[in-house]
Amino acid sequence: MSEAPAATPGEPKVDLAAARAHGLTEAEFAEIARILGRTPTFTELGVFSVMWSEHCSYKSSRKYLKTLPREGPNVVGGPGENAGAIDVGDGWVAVFKIESHNHPSYVEPYQGAATGVGGILRDIFTMGARPIASMDSLKFGAIDHPRTRYLVNGVVGGIGGYGNCVGVPTVAGEVMFDPGYNGNILVNAFALGLARREDLQSARAHGVGNPVLYVGSATGRDGIHGASLLASAEFDSESEAKRPTVQVGDPFTEKLLIEACLEAIKTGAIVAIQDMGAAGLTSSSSEMAGRGGLGVELDLDRVPLREPNLSPYEILLSESQERMLIVAEHGREAELAAVFEKWDLHAVVIGAITGDGRWRARFRGKVVADIPIAALSDDAPLYDRPTQPPKRSLHEARPHAVVVRPEPADALRALLSSPNVASRRMVFRQYDSLVLSNTVAGPGGDAAVLRIKGSRRGLALKVDSNPRACALDPYLGAITTVCEAARNVACTGARPAAITNCLNYGNPERPEIMWQFARGVAGLGDAARAFATPVISGNVSFYNETEGRAIPPTPTIAMVGVFADVSLNVKHYFSFPGDLILLVRTAPPSLAASEYADLFKISFGALGPIDLVRERRLLDGLVECAERRLIRSAHDVSEGGLAVALAEACFNPDQALGAEIEPVATDAAAEAWFGEGASTVIVSAPAENLKAIHDIFAPLEVRPIGRVSAAPRLKLGGWCDEDVAALRRLYEEALSGRLGRHD
């Protein structure tokens, strides 16, 4: 008969009130008692609370996530591992993932964002891949909100401070300001690494008797209940008190950990490896053993501590950073320990894999937790929560003033200097985008472009979201987001290959939020299938609301594309005077959910339909045109519409160029110049390539609308004749001016 777990002296009483304080419901507490056949110890209660939290168990979302396409001919690792992986040719595998660090970043912006970067990097190198690029998607409240400047400075400082120190470039991202995020910002962090296919690692334990090694930094009290009570609950008036649950990162230790882990992997002595992320030692040990259908026993007295007298509850729930858990081949412990000692890192055997299917922890010679491992790794409660569409969309519910539409020239200047269109240089100049020397095209374009050294191949990366469209229609909004991410990648000439997503929504216990989520996942799935871009990793972030006010539904899509020959990448700006400027699109533009509509407080109704067959044709055509060297630039028409896209395409960093665009039938129509919504790109090309380009894109609309000019003036029909340098100053200086920075 197994030893009954013992309570730790002085620990609180375990009852329903304690369970509720840990974020568990009465029914969940009763189920825990049924599984154990007794009341849990306080340590066991803490373990269940983190593993059954929304953040770790996906108990409200798993039903829907299973509907997403996950397989494809190039997929070599998908959901269930630390990150997803695709074969990109020549024996190389790209490993990538995006995750949220929203609540920690609102409570403590610098460390919240920094540890978000650190955590996602660890998900990459645990797969055996060297991290080579990061991206981020940031959502802040209104730019004039009293807390926005503080949050921007903290988050951007945390991302740059951690990424720059650890030596991984931040190559792309997005930043948005909207009142819907006043009480709950979003910080979604992406990382990508490269590995040889034969070096790819797993987080699935095997081998009864194999030792479990703790490697990396020592354990402290920081981050306790970061997953269960901070990331799995909405904000309230006491949110500032949650600051102690935010982890503290050390990028210099992370750099050592990267090198030590990659060297240790080369020994062949590692059976399984996982980051101690959300829920720390508890999740990493139970998930690795659970994936293998085995058990694990931990000796908590052996865990390296950075402060004395930590209880077993604190050791197991700590989310201290820069820590990993490794299952090693029996007898090769010393070999691995020597590698980590070389890098001045802890490497201690703290347990072993067992064959009894139990998750067991000992402390000072006594068992303090003994739980069926399936109860933690696989059998958390699954909820089929009710769904109900709201009476009005979030966007329609906002007040819109009845105003006279501005003159188009005034609208263009206002859009170029608006917080959601203006250059993000103030942000990305704080990031090192060139370290490791893989960056071909960094921040500021449609997508980042990376070379794969030793190969002609390359990668394109982009992260996108469209909360305004999703607020109007969660299904079409999600499709729009996938289309834009794929379009940005294809504009560089890379073929969209796979997706990782971060699905940010409010409280899933509210039927209207769950409806938004269900419709968003359906849209994501339909678009991913249409483009043959499987969803190979991701994250769900619920409870993004404050005192009952939810954020707009914000599915964030990171798209990775592959170049057969990275030297054929296409820039987003004009480079050759005299080139034709062509408009290529699948449907007419719309002002619904546009930056124009939001900036001038005008409502423009519903989103238009999206034909995914035509969207796929646009993507394939862009890639073929690039591979055949038919086009010299390609730029996505998105925030601000056609007029803004044309202005941005004139902002060549090496020479001042202009554009002369012919009048259109409705020359001053806002829809024509500032509409968004449809999949539209502008490309430049020599005139002799026009027929070939027409043939490639047929039956899509391909229309010459003007020419690139040597004179640096933007001439749009009969209403705009502006100096490009003046427009660029407006565009480049607007954000720093609004946020009080003058760089």
Side-chain angles (χ1 to χ4, degrees), residues 54 60-61 103 231 503 505-506 508 513-514 517 540-544:
E54 192 71 60
S60 299
S61 59
H103 287 179
L503 307 178
Y505 291 82
I513 299 297
M514 207 61 220
F517 179 81
V540 176
S541 177
F542 278 133
Y543 295 99
N544 289 292

Side-chain angles (χ1 to χ4, degrees), residues 493-512:
R495 187 172 299 281
I499 288 170
T500 179
N501 66 79
C502 192
L503 307 178
N504 307 275
Y505 291 82
N507 185 343
E509 298 164 45
R510 294 168 53 192
E512 64 272 23

